[in-house]
C-alpha cells in the first residue's frame, strides 16, 4: 500500500474501555478521516441498553453498526467488504482472536492497513520483555504478523499505562501503589522518584487519529507515544495542590512488589497481571530517549497534562 490516507475504517472492540476513546476521536477528527466509519460489535453489545449512550451519538454521526460474532469467519469476511483500514481495540480476553482477523484481512481484497490492539506496555522494550506473562498474547499476534502478513501493513500504537487507570488505589492490592482521594493517602513504589511515561485515555484516541492521518510516518511501524513523563511523588504533589491538603505517603520497596507479584502468579490470583505491569512501569519500562509523538505531528503542548487526570480522579469521574 502506498502511503494513502484511510478511506473506509472498521473498528473492532469500539465500545470497550479504550475503544470508546479511539472511536470518539476517529469520528470527531478534523479534518475528517475517510469517507465511512463502521464498527463491528457483538449482538449483545449492539442491543444492550447500557451501551446505547455510547452507540447513539456515533449513529447520529453516520457510523454504521455491524453486528456479528468475532469468531465467525463469514461475519468477518462480510464486514471487511470495501474496508481498507481495520482498527482493533479488542480486550485482553479476545487478543488471540486477532490472529484469525489478520488472516482474513490478508485474504481479503480490500483490507490494507491493520492496527492490532496494543495501546499499552511496550512488549519489546528490552531483552526481559519476552518473558513477561501479560505480554504473551500480544507477542503471538506480532509473531503471526511478522511471519504471515505480506500485503496488509500493520501499525502498533504503544502508549504505556493510562494515567486514569494508574491513579486509583485498589484496597485489595495496596502493594501495586495508587492514590486514595477520600483518605488523602498515596502508596508509591520504591522511593517514589522513578519516572514513568503515561498516556491519558483521550490522548490514546488523539494518537491513533494522528497515526491514521500520517500513513507516511506510521504504516508498518511500532509507534512509541505518550502524553507526559512524571514520578509517583510528583503525582502526590499534584493531588496536594488540587486538594489543598497534605497527603500521607507509604512506600512499597521494589523487592516487596516483586514478592507479592510472585505469590500472586503462584496462587493464580488475577491481580498478578496488575503487579507485573506496575513492576515493569516502576522499573523504567516506559522510558525513551525520544517518542514518536513528533513524527505524528504532535507537540508536548498538544497532549493532556497530569493535572487533568488528577482533577477527574478528585471529582470521582469514571473513565
Ligand atoms: N495502557 C493501559 O493502561 C491499558 C489498560 C487497559 C487496557 N489496555 C489495552 O487496551 C486494549 C483494549 O483493552 P480494553 O480494556 O479497552 O478492552 P475491553 O474493554 O475489555 O474490551 C474491548 C472490547 O473487546 C470486545 N471483547 C472483549 N472480550 C471479548 C470476547 N471474549 N470475545 C469477543 N469480543 C470481546 C468487546 O467488544 P464488543 O462488545 O463491541 O463486541 C469489548 O467491548 C488491550 O490491548 C489492552 O491490553 C491498556
Amino acid at each position: 500500500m502506498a502511503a494513502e490516507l484511510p478511506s473506509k475504517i472498521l473498528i473492532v472492540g469500539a465500545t470497550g474501555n479504550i475503544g470508546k476513546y479511539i472511536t470518539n476521536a476517529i469520528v470527531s477528527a478534523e479534518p475528517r478521516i475517510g469517507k465511512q466509519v463502521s464498527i463491528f460489535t457483538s449482538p449483545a453489545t449492539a442491543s444492550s441498553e447500557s451501551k446505547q449512550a455510547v452507540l447513539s451519538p456515533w449513529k447520529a454521526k453516520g457510523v454504521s453498526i455491524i453486528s456479528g460474532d468475532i469468531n465467525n469467519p463469514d461475519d468477518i469476511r462480510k464486514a471487511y467488504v470495501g474496508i481498507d483500514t481495520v482498527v482493533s481495540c479488542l480486550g485482553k480476553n479476545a487478543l488471540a482472536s486477532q490472529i484469525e482477523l489478520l488472516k482474513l484481512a490478508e485474504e481479503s481484497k480490500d483490507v490494507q492497513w491493520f492496527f492490532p490492539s496494543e495501546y499499552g506496555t511496550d512488549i519489546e522494550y528490552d531483552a526481559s520483555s519476552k518473558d513477561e506473562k501479560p505480554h504473551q498474547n500480544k507477542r503471538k499476534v506480532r509473531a503471526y504478523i511478522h511471519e504471515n502478513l505480506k500485503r496488509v501493513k500493520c501499525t502498533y500504537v504503544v502508549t504505556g499505562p493510562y494515567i486514569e487507570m494508574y491513579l486509583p488505589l485498589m484496597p485489595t492490592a495496596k502493594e501495586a501503589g495508587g492514590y486514595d482521594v477520600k483518605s488523602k493517602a498515596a502508596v508509591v513504589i520504591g522511593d517514589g522518584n522513578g519516572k514513568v511515561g503515561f498516556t491519558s485515555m483521550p490522548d490514546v484516541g488523539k494518537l491513533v487519529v494522528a497515526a491514521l492521518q500520517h500513513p507516511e510516518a506510521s504504516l508498518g511501524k511500532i509507534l512509541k507515544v505518550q502524553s507526559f513523563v512524571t514520578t509517583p511523588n510528583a503525582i502526590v504533589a499534584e493531588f496536594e495542590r488540587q486538594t489543598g491538603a497534605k497527603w500521607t505517603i507509604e512506600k512499597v520497596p521494589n523487592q516487596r512488589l516483586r514478592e507479592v507479584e510472585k505469590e500472586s502468579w503462584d496462587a493464580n490470583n488475577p491481580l498478578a497481571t496488575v503487579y507485573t505491569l506496575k513492576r515493569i512501569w516502576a522499573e523504567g519500562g516506559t522510558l525513551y530517549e525520544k517518542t514518536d509523538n513528533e513524527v505524528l505531528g504532535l507537540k508536548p503542548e498538544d497532549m493532556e497534562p497530569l493535572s487533568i487526570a488528577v482533577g477527574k480522579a478528585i471529582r470521582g469521574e469514571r473513565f
Side-chain angles (χ1 to χ4, degrees):
M1 176 184 177
E4 277 172 31
L5 287 166
S7 173
K8 294 197 174 171
I9 303 172
L10 179 70
I11 309 170
V12 188
T15 69
N17 293 314
I18 203 61
K20 276 185 285 200
Y21 287 90
I22 291 174
T23 306
N24 277 334
I26 290 175
V27 302
S28 325
E30 292 288 344
R32 190 189 156 125
I33 309 180
K35 292 196 194 103
Q36 175 63 45
V37 177
S38 309
I39 71 162
F40 181 93
T41 190
S42 58
T45 293
S47 60
S48 148
E49 288 239 343
S50 64
K51 294 272 182 174
Q52 296 317 306
V54 177
L55 295 172
S56 297
W58 295 343
K59 285 186 205 164
K61 288 191 170 180
V63 173
S64 311
I65 314 288
I66 305 171
S67 131
D69 178 358
I70 201 90
N71 296 310
N72 180 336
D74 283 337
D75 287 358
I76 299 297
R77 277 189 203 100
K78 270 187 227 148
Y80 278 172
V81 173
I83 296 293
D84 52 85
T85 304
V86 177
V87 178
S88 168
C89 314
L90 288 173
K92 67 178 187 314
N93 296 335
L95 291 176
S97 317
Q98 293 180 113
I99 290 181
E100 185 68 11
L101 298 188
L102 286 155
K103 177 172 167 275
L104 295 168
E106 183 75 4
E107 287 168 9
S108 81
K109 291 195 311 301
D110 299 328
V111 178
Q112 312 197 38
W113 195 5
F114 199 112
F115 285 61
S117 184
E118 285 261 347
Y119 324 114
T121 307
D122 188 346
I123 62 167
E124 295 180 352
Y125 186 79
D126 61 19
S128 68
S129 304
K130 67 177 189 326
D131 302 319
E132 301 290 4
K133 292 189 181 79
H135 293 174
Q136 297 312 313
N137 275 328
K138 287 183 183 173
R139 282 177 52 79
K140 281 184 203 149
V141 171
R142 285 198 192 187
Y144 181 85
I145 291 167
H146 184 67
E147 286 158 24
N148 298 281
L149 262 59
K150 306 273 178 284
R151 195 182 58 74
V152 174
K153 301 286 177 245
C154 290
T155 296
Y156 307 87
V157 181
V158 175
T159 61
Y162 309 151
I163 185 67
E164 296 87 342
M165 289 193 177
Y166 178 91
L167 293 179
L169 181 67
M170 290 162 58
T172 52
K174 271 184 100 176
E175 288 89 348
Y179 305 81
D180 182 44
V181 175
K182 217 167 150 205
S183 59
K184 299 194 173 52
V187 180
V188 301
I189 297 160
D191 64 4
N193 289 322
K195 288 183 177 166
V196 184
F198 294 98
T199 303
S200 78
M201 295 173 84
D203 277 354
V204 176
K206 185 182 283 180
L207 287 153
V208 171
V209 162
L212 288 164
Q213 287 169 330
H214 292 276
E216 75 292 347
S218 60
L219 208 61
K221 297 277 167 52
I222 301 171
L223 300 167
K224 280 66 174 276
V225 290
Q226 51 198 208
S227 300
F228 54 82
V229 175
T230 190
T231 67
N233 286 341
I235 297 174
V236 179
E238 182 58 26
F239 272 109
E240 289 182 335
R241 189 184 73 79
Q242 292 198 31
T243 56
K246 194 84 194 141
W247 281 45
T248 60
I249 306 179
E250 190 183 324
K251 293 181 178 160
V252 176
N254 292 65
Q255 185 51 32
R256 176 69 193 134
L257 174 58
R258 281 184 172 265
E259 284 160 12
V260 181
E261 178 191 357
K262 183 173 180 317
E263 286 159 21
S264 303
W265 284 112
D266 290 348
N268 265 328
N269 179 343
L271 288 171
T273 297
V274 176
Y275 293 122
T276 298
L277 293 174
K278 290 279 182 130
R279 189 247 310 148
I280 293 169
W281 303 338
E283 294 183 354
T286 61
L287 303 176
Y288 302 98
E289 251 167 51
K290 200 171 188 326
T291 66
D292 292 305
N293 288 35
E294 209 177 292
V295 297
L296 298 177
L298 290 167
K299 301 189 204 71
E301 58 270 28
D302 296 323
M303 312 313 292
E304 277 198 352
L306 169 66
S307 55
I308 303 243
V310 167
K312 285 183 187 168
I314 291 170
R315 294 190 297 277
E317 284 176 28
R318 268 297 293 166
F319 30 82

